[in-house]
Amino acid sequence: MVLSSFKYSEPGWDLAELAPLESVNLLVAKNATGKTRTIRALQNVTAFLQQKETFGRIRTFETELVFRDSEDSEFRLEYSFGLKDGVVEKERLSVNDRVLITRSKAIAKYDKVTINPPSEKLIVQVRRDKDLYPKIEQLMLWAEGVTSVSCSDINPFTIIMENKFLNPWGFSELVESLRPQELKKVLYCAKKLGYNITGIKTIEATAGIKLVQVKERYISNNMVDIQLSSGMLRTLYLLCFLSVVKHSPKLSMLLIDDMGEGLDYRRSTDLGKLIFADCEKNGLQLIASSNDAFMMDVVDIANWQILRRKGTKVTVINQSRNPDLFYSFRLTGLSNFDLFSSDFIDGFLNRE
C-alpha cells in the first residue's frame, strides 16, 4: 500500500493536497514555504496514529490520506480524521467506495453499527484485529512503518529539540546494528562518495556513553564521531541508517528532511542518486526535501513536488498536475535547478 495523496491543515497552515505522490518524491520549495513543515505534518499524523508522544506534536489538526496498491489498480483506501486539543471530532474510512467508519461529535459507526470509542482515541486505534478489521490493520501497519530522519539535525548523539525532528537512532546505535555484510557495503558506498574509510566501530568513552570510531586509509590516527566534519558525519549516518531500516519488516515509507544539506557538489549528487535508486530498487516509498541545487539536478523533475505558498495556504505543482508546464520546460534544455530558480513557472502559469 502506497500513499498517493496527503492533505493536512493546522492553525495557521494549510497543505491543500500533496498529490499524486510517486514511489520516490523530492519536495522542492523556497525557504519558509513548507518543505520541513510538510515532512513534519506526515510525521505528526503517523505519530498520532501510533499513539506516540513526540516533542512539539500538534494536537489540533485535520488530515486526509489516500492510498493505492501497485498490484491492484482498483484498490483505493481513503482515511481522514480531525482533532481539536487532542479530542477526535471526525473520522472516516472507506475502501473502494465502501464506507467502513463514519464519526462525528454526535455519533460513531463501524460498518453501520453504532459504537462508542473514547473521545481521545481514533476508531482505528481501538478496533485493531487483523481478522475482524483487516483494512484497519492494513492502515495501522503502514503508519507503524513510516520512519524519518532530519539531515540538519544529525549529530553524534540523539538530541531532543522542541519543534525539531527526533532522529530515531543515535549514530552509535546504527553502527552497532549493522551486520557484517552491511558494514562492508557502507564502507564501499562511502568510498564511492569520496570518503576513503577502512573501518567503523563503536568504542566506550565513559560509562554508558559510546562514540563511533572511524579509520581513514593513510591516516595513522583514528577519529571519533565528534571530530568528523558535518558532511562526513551526515553521509555516514545516512548510509548506516538506510542499511539498518531496510531490514524492518514493517517499513513502508521513508521521510528525509534537508537531504544533501552541507555536502559539496560531488557528494550531494552521488548521495542523491544512491538514495533514490536504492529506494526504487527496494520498492520503498521516499519523500525527501531539499533546495540544494546539486541535489535537484540529479533527481528527475518527474519526481519533483514543487510547493508554493500564498499566505497560510500551500499548493503543489508536479508533472501529473501540470504536464504542459513540465513538457515546455524540458524543451528549453535548461538544468533542473533552473525550473526552481528562474521565473519559468510564474511566466507559464500567467500565460495560461
Side-chain angles (χ1 to χ4, degrees):
M1 192 167 74
V2 177
L3 183 66
S4 61
S5 174
F6 176 63
K7 295 180 183 178
Y8 181 90
S9 65
E10 63 183 51
W13 193 73
D14 179 20
L15 177 64
E17 185 180 25
L18 183 61
L21 287 164
E22 307 296 335
S23 57
V24 291
N25 306 267
L26 183 68
L27 301 183
V28 173
K30 296 178 180 178
N31 289 335
T33 298
K35 300 186 302 300
T36 293
R37 205 162 183 176
T38 298
I39 298 284
R40 192 184 302 152
L42 281 160
Q43 191 188 43
N44 190 48
V45 169
T46 53
F48 188 87
L49 284 168
Q50 296 175 62
Q51 304 183 69
K52 287 183 178 179
E53 285 297 331
T54 59
F55 224 63
R57 190 174 75 180
I58 306 298
R59 298 179 62 83
T60 297
F61 67 90
E62 293 184 17
T63 188
E64 179 184 291
L65 304 101
V66 179
F67 299 88
R68 58 179 171 81
D69 191 321
S70 56
E71 297 180 359
D72 182 1
S73 60
E74 301 298 319
F75 179 85
R76 181 181 173 89
L77 186 150
E78 299 179 49
Y79 180 63
S80 61
F81 66 93
L83 308 174
K84 186 172 182 181
D85 296 326
V87 174
V88 181
E89 295 203 324
K90 58 182 178 180
E91 186 178 6
R92 188 177 190 276
L93 172 67
S94 67
V95 180
N96 298 339
D97 297 325
R98 179 191 172 194
V99 178
L100 295 176
I101 291 174
T102 54
R103 182 178 184 178
S104 65
K105 291 181 181 179
I107 192 168
K109 292 184 177 183
Y110 180 84
D111 204 13
K112 300 180 182 179
V113 177
T114 301
I115 56 178
N116 188 26
S119 62
E120 73 283 1
K121 298 287 186 183
L122 297 165
I123 294 173
V124 297
Q125 293 169 332
V126 298
R127 284 285 193 274
R128 290 197 64 173
D129 186 308
K130 65 181 181 181
D131 294 324
L132 295 177
Y133 313 109
K135 298 307 178 185
I136 287 179
E137 190 66 13
Q138 193 173 6
L139 172 66
M140 296 301 284
L141 287 176
W142 172 85
E144 290 174 1
V146 177
T147 190
S148 59
V149 61
S150 170
C151 294
S152 60
D153 289 337
I154 290 173
N155 50 70
F157 309 102
T158 299
I159 298 176
I160 302 174
M161 291 181 285
E162 188 172 5
N163 296 322
K164 293 276 188 178
F165 282 89
L166 170 57
N167 284 333
W169 290 281
F171 192 20
S172 61
E173 293 177 274
L174 289 174
V175 172
E176 289 190 330
S177 299
L178 291 172
R179 302 170 186 177
Q181 284 302 114
E182 294 165 352
L183 179 57
K184 287 182 180 179
K185 186 174 180 181
V186 166
L187 296 175
Y188 172 77
C189 291
K191 188 173 182 179
K192 285 188 67 176
L193 292 169
Y195 298 111
N196 200 354
I197 295 168
T198 59
I200 304 176
K201 65 178 183 180
T202 60
I203 58 172
E204 187 150 343
T206 58
I209 297 179
K210 291 186 177 181
L211 301 177
V212 176
Q213 187 181 79
V214 176
K215 170 66 176 173
E216 278 195 275
R217 191 182 298 276
Y218 309 124
I219 297 179
S220 57
N221 295 329
N222 296 333
M223 295 185 295
V224 292
D225 45 20
I226 57 177
Q227 297 172 314
L228 301 179
S229 69
S230 60
M232 181 185 284
L233 177 61
R234 288 168 181 171
T235 300
L236 293 178
Y237 184 100
L238 280 176
L239 292 176
C240 294
F241 176 81
L242 287 170
S243 295
V244 170
V245 298
K246 282 190 295 187
H247 292 293
S248 169
K250 293 182 179 180
L251 186 62
S252 58
M253 186 167 73
L254 178 59
L255 307 172
I256 303 179
D257 193 31
D258 284 332
M259 192 163 73
E261 179 75 15
L263 300 182
D264 57 38
Y265 171 77
R266 179 193 167 188
R267 291 179 176 121
S268 181
T269 54
D270 287 352
L271 184 64
K273 289 176 185 176
L274 187 153
I275 291 175
F276 271 74
D278 193 60
C279 288
E280 284 196 293
K281 178 182 176 182
N282 290 283
L284 172 61
Q285 189 172 27
L286 169 68
I287 300 179
S289 75
S290 179
N291 59 2
D292 181 272
F294 308 144
M295 188 69 64
M296 291 186 203
D297 277 338
V298 297
V299 176
D300 193 323
I301 59 174
N303 299 122
W304 282 22
Q305 305 285 346
I306 304 173
L307 306 183
R308 289 163 65 85
R309 177 181 171 185
K310 186 174 183 180
T312 61
K313 188 168 185 176
V314 176
T315 55
V316 179
I317 290 175
N318 56 41
Q319 184 166 279
S320 295
R321 286 172 175 264
N322 312 88
D324 293 340
L325 185 157
F326 279 72
Y327 175 75
S328 297
F329 179 77
R330 288 184 187 276
L331 294 179
T332 66
L334 296 171
S335 70
N336 289 1
F337 183 66
D338 290 319
L339 177 58
F340 169 76
S341 61
S342 70
D343 60 357
F344 183 89
I345 294 176
D346 288 331
F348 186 93
L349 295 178
N350 288 337
R351 288 195 301 272
E352 281 196 329

